[in-house]
Amino acid sequence: MPVNPPKSSLLLHRINNVNTATNTIATATANMLCQKEQLQFQKRFPGTWSTPVPDAVARHHTLVVGPNQCCSSVVQQIAAPVSTVWSVVRRFDNPQAYKHFVKSCHVINGDGDVGTLREVHVISGLPAGRSTERLEILDDERHVISFSVIGGDHRLANYRSVTTLHPSPAGNETVVVESYVVDVPPGNTNEDTCVFVDTIVKCNLQSLAQTAENLTRRNNNSHSSNNSSISSNNNGPIRSCSVLE
């Protein structure tokens, strides 16, 4: 890995490489829950250590990291158009649509605009019960969403994430970048914290890819069916007119 990677590159894995033996029990639980999705995506998208990201996108992931905090970023390529992926990601009120670690979500204040508050309850096996989160950015034009954790029963204090979407170089797929900054809990190291959070983020993005790709296939099938129906309806009158002539 280069010592000073280009500004337009975000790493697929954590910047500091660590031995997975340091993972906590919670991380092992997250890995186990995510294993099936990881295997499926490894077959379709062989991992690369870094993915070029346009400077206009990378600037959204320039995070201020304070003392006793850590940060990281994950990149996921999805075989679906940006509009389809964004329709899932922008739903601040429905993170469980693709985040399998979320058991339920309730909006407690707001109507989906910036400043909206939600309370998220997570599944068992993770070091958390509930999380109160605020929507910080929702940019439908640039496809940027950000939220921060402002309370709850968990150990990830002052967590803030930024997620961006942009077209792949080929233009027919979507590249999702999610970065975060969070306090390192007392008794944990930067490495421990990032190992755990990275595991959750990667699993969420892999699940997002599956959700968006399935939605794309359904939309394509529906479009093909509608076209076939229109063609059939059009053929009827044309044949009738030719008979009348």
Side-chain angles (χ1 to χ4, degrees), residues 24-35 38 101 123 125-126 195-196 199-200 203:
T24 62
I25 294 176
T27 303
T29 302
N31 272 321
M32 186 166 56
L33 291 168
C34 193
Q35 185 177 22
Q38 288 175 331
F101 300 107
I123 62 174
L126 299 179
V195 163
F196 172 68
T199 300
I200 299 294
C203 191

Side-chain angles (χ1 to χ4, degrees), residues 128-146:
R130 61 181 177 82
S131 176
T132 304
E133 302 168 356
R134 179 173 58 216
L135 182 61
E136 303 290 354
I137 299 172
L138 182 64
D139 190 330
D140 287 313
E141 181 180 353
R142 295 180 176 83
H143 302 114
V144 182
I145 186 169
S146 171

Side-chain angles (χ1 to χ4, degrees), residues 190-202:
N190 286 26
E191 289 77 13
D192 291 335
T193 305
C194 281
V195 163
F196 172 68
V197 180
D198 278 1
T199 300
I200 299 294
V201 173
K202 289 176 183 177

Side-chain angles (χ1 to χ4, degrees), residues 104-154:
S104 64
C105 173
H106 304 283
V107 173
I108 57 179
N109 188 27
D111 55 4
D113 294 330
V114 171
T116 294
L117 299 180
R118 70 184 181 191
E119 184 171 89
V120 171
H121 291 262
V122 303
I123 62 174
S124 60
L126 299 179
R130 61 181 177 82
S131 176
T132 304
E133 302 168 356
R134 179 173 58 216
L135 182 61
E136 303 290 354
I137 299 172
L138 182 64
D139 190 330
D140 287 313
E141 181 180 353
R142 295 180 176 83
H143 302 114
V144 182
I145 186 169
S146 171
F147 75 90
S148 60
V149 174
I150 61 173
D153 174 23
H154 55 80

